[in-house]
């Protein structure tokens, strides 16, 4: 990555998370990072880090070798025309749901297009990013992009056709875990347990369960059975999941997530 310049369009949560990983691993010095955002007040904290900031997207596109588009899918129609004449032969990474590589190639002719689906835990260096295979991108450049995301967590390469569905696995799913934790903590507080205690125990349990999933070599179903004792409390609680069709609820939520990605798509 020597001498390459990294650019970010948008200073939202996801670009901030990616940028945090890059800085943490010192992959790029701040002076070789450009960041634009339409609201200048969001840029001051980044400027203090030595990052080159601007409200002009074209300035970022002009200077960057690798450009990460971190804007909402609905904004692409406004943003892409600004960049069209500046990104030929440059690497453009889109992290937006639903925006296809073919659409980006048509709107940004000559650019090397890569799609990625990261998640917000990248901010802590424990993210999970899916990157769509891009056969027309040079292997060295593709590996550079993978290293960008590996700076802040786990990376998996998938097919472009799977991008709408991978959102259920790593994109939107942190919100589902946060929602579950919120319910658990509020229930604990309602019976007199200290909120901080409940939150710390819930978070540690989630973290431990995640490590067991990643490191035990057992399937989620096997690990679930391992927690359950015959006639015990866990089985009693899971019986409610069965009665209320928890599996069906989750599948409906995932289907709706994918459907929305396709609705946003181009």
């Amino acid at each position: 990555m020597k001498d390459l310049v990294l650019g970010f369009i948008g200073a939202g949560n996801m670009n901030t998370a990616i940028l945090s990983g890059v800085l943490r691993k010192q992959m790029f010095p701040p002076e070789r990072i450009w960041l634009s955002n339409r609201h200048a007040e969001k840029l001051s904290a980044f400027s203090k880090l030595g990052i080159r900031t601007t409200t002009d997207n074209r300035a970022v596109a002009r200077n960057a070798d690798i450009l990460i588009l971190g804007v909402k899918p609905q904004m692409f129609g406004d943003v892409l025309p600004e960049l069209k004449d500046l990104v030929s032969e440059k690497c453009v990474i889109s992290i937006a749901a639903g925006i296809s590589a073919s659409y980006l190639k048509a709107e940004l002719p000559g650019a090397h297009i890569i799609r990625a689906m990261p998640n917000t835990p990248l901010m802590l260096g424990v993210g999970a990013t899916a990157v769509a295979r891009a056969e027309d991108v040079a292997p060295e450049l593709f590996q550079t992009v993978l290293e960008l995301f590996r700076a802040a967590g786990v990376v998996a390469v998938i097919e472009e056709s799977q991008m709408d569905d991978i959102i259920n696995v790593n994109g939107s799913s942190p919100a589902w875990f946060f929602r579950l934790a919120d319910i658990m903590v509020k229930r604990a507080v309602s019976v007199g347990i200290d909120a901080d205690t409940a939150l710390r125990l819930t978070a540690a349990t989630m973290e431990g369960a995640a490590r067991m999933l990643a490191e035990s070599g057992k399937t989620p179903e096997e690990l679930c059975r391992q927690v359950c004792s015959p006639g015990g409390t866990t089985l009693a609680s899971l019986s409610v999941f069965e009665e209320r069709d928890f599996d069906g609820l989750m599948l409906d939520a995932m289907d709706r997530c994918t459907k929305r990605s396709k609705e946003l798509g181009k």
Side-chain angles (χ1 to χ4, degrees), residues 158 160-170 254-255 257-259 261-262:
I158 66 170
E160 160 89 12
S161 60
Q162 299 171 323
M163 290 299 284
D164 286 326
D165 284 302
I166 205 66
I167 299 173
N168 294 300
V169 177
N170 71 305
M254 296 172 81
D255 288 342
C257 182
T258 295
K259 179 183 178 183
S261 178
K262 291 179 177 178

Coordinates of all heavy atoms in Angstrom, one line a residue, residues 158 160-170 254-255 257-259 261-262:
I158 N -17.4 -13.7 -1.2 CA -18.6 -14.4 -1.7 C -18.8 -13.9 -3.1 O -18.2 -13.1 -3.7 CB -19.8 -14.0 -0.8 CG1 -20.1 -12.5 -0.9 CG2 -19.5 -14.4 0.7 CD1 -21.5 -12.2 -0.2
E160 N -21.0 -12.1 -6.0 CA -21.8 -10.9 -6.2 C -23.3 -11.2 -6.0 O -24.0 -10.4 -5.4 CB -21.5 -10.3 -7.6 CG -22.6 -9.3 -8.1 CD -22.4 -7.9 -7.6 OE1 -21.3 -7.6 -7.1 OE2 -23.3 -7.1 -7.8
S161 N -23.8 -12.3 -6.5 CA -25.2 -12.7 -6.5 C -25.7 -12.9 -5.0 O -26.9 -13.0 -4.8 CB -25.5 -13.9 -7.3 OG -24.7 -15.0 -6.8
Q162 N -24.8 -13.1 -4.1 CA -25.1 -13.3 -2.7 C -25.2 -12.1 -1.8 O -25.5 -12.2 -0.6 CB -24.2 -14.4 -2.1 CG -24.1 -15.7 -2.8 CD -23.0 -16.6 -2.4 OE1 -21.9 -16.1 -2.1 NE2 -23.3 -17.9 -2.3
M163 N -24.9 -10.9 -2.4 CA -24.7 -9.7 -1.6 C -26.0 -9.3 -0.9 O -26.0 -8.8 0.2 CB -24.2 -8.6 -2.4 CG -22.7 -8.8 -2.8 SD -21.6 -8.9 -1.4 CE -21.5 -7.2 -0.9
D164 N -27.2 -9.5 -1.6 CA -28.4 -9.1 -0.9 C -28.8 -10.0 0.3 O -29.4 -9.5 1.2 CB -29.6 -9.2 -2.0 CG -29.5 -8.0 -3.0 OD1 -29.1 -6.9 -2.6 OD2 -29.9 -8.2 -4.1
D165 N -28.3 -11.2 0.2 CA -28.6 -12.1 1.3 C -27.6 -12.1 2.5 O -27.9 -12.4 3.6 CB -28.8 -13.5 0.8 CG -30.1 -13.7 0.1 OD1 -31.2 -13.5 0.7 OD2 -30.1 -14.1 -1.1
I166 N -26.4 -11.7 2.1 CA -25.4 -11.7 3.2 C -25.6 -10.6 4.2 O -25.1 -10.7 5.4 CB -23.9 -11.5 2.6 CG1 -22.9 -12.1 3.5 CG2 -23.7 -10.0 2.3 CD1 -22.9 -13.6 3.6
I167 N -26.5 -9.6 3.9 CA -26.8 -8.6 4.9 C -27.4 -9.2 6.1 O -27.2 -8.7 7.2 CB -27.8 -7.6 4.2 CG1 -27.1 -6.9 3.0 CG2 -28.2 -6.5 5.3 CD1 -28.1 -6.0 2.3
N168 N -28.2 -10.3 6.0 CA -28.8 -11.0 7.1 C -27.7 -11.6 8.0 O -28.0 -11.9 9.2 CB -29.7 -12.1 6.6 CG -30.9 -11.6 5.8 OD1 -31.7 -10.8 6.4 ND2 -31.0 -12.0 4.6
V169 N -26.6 -12.0 7.4 CA -25.6 -12.7 8.2 C -24.7 -11.7 9.0 O -24.4 -12.0 10.2 CB -24.7 -13.6 7.3 CG1 -23.6 -14.3 8.0 CG2 -25.6 -14.6 6.5
N170 N -24.2 -10.7 8.4 CA -23.3 -9.8 9.1 C -23.7 -8.3 9.0 O -23.1 -7.5 9.7 CB -21.9 -10.0 8.5 CG -21.7 -9.4 7.1 OD1 -22.5 -9.7 6.2 ND2 -20.7 -8.5 7.0
M254 N -35.4 -11.9 8.1 CA -34.3 -12.0 7.1 C -34.8 -11.8 5.7 O -34.2 -11.1 4.9 CB -33.6 -13.3 7.3 CG -33.0 -13.5 8.6 SD -32.3 -15.1 9.0 CE -30.8 -15.0 8.0
D255 N -36.0 -12.4 5.4 CA -36.6 -12.2 4.0 C -36.9 -10.7 3.8 O -36.7 -10.2 2.7 CB -37.8 -13.0 3.9 CG -37.5 -14.5 3.8 OD1 -36.4 -14.9 3.5 OD2 -38.5 -15.3 4.0
C257 N -35.4 -8.2 5.1 CA -34.2 -7.5 5.0 C -33.6 -7.6 3.5 O -33.2 -6.6 2.9 CB -33.2 -8.1 6.0 SG -31.5 -7.3 6.0
T258 N -33.6 -8.8 3.0 CA -33.2 -9.0 1.6 C -34.1 -8.3 0.6 O -33.6 -7.7 -0.3 CB -33.2 -10.5 1.3 OG1 -32.2 -11.2 2.2 CG2 -32.8 -10.8 -0.1
K259 N -35.4 -8.4 0.9 CA -36.3 -7.7 0.0 C -36.0 -6.2 -0.1 O -36.0 -5.6 -1.2 CB -37.8 -7.9 0.5 CG -38.8 -7.2 -0.4 CD -40.2 -7.5 0.2 CE -41.3 -6.7 -0.7 NZ -42.6 -6.9 -0.1
S261 N -33.2 -4.7 0.5 CA -31.9 -4.5 -0.2 C -32.2 -4.5 -1.7 O -31.6 -3.7 -2.5 CB -30.9 -5.6 0.1 OG -29.7 -5.5 -0.6
K262 N -33.0 -5.4 -2.2 CA -33.3 -5.5 -3.6 C -34.1 -4.3 -4.1 O -34.0 -3.8 -5.2 CB -34.1 -6.8 -3.9 CG -33.2 -8.0 -3.8 CD -33.9 -9.3 -4.1 CE -33.0 -10.5 -4.0 NZ -33.7 -11.8 -4.2

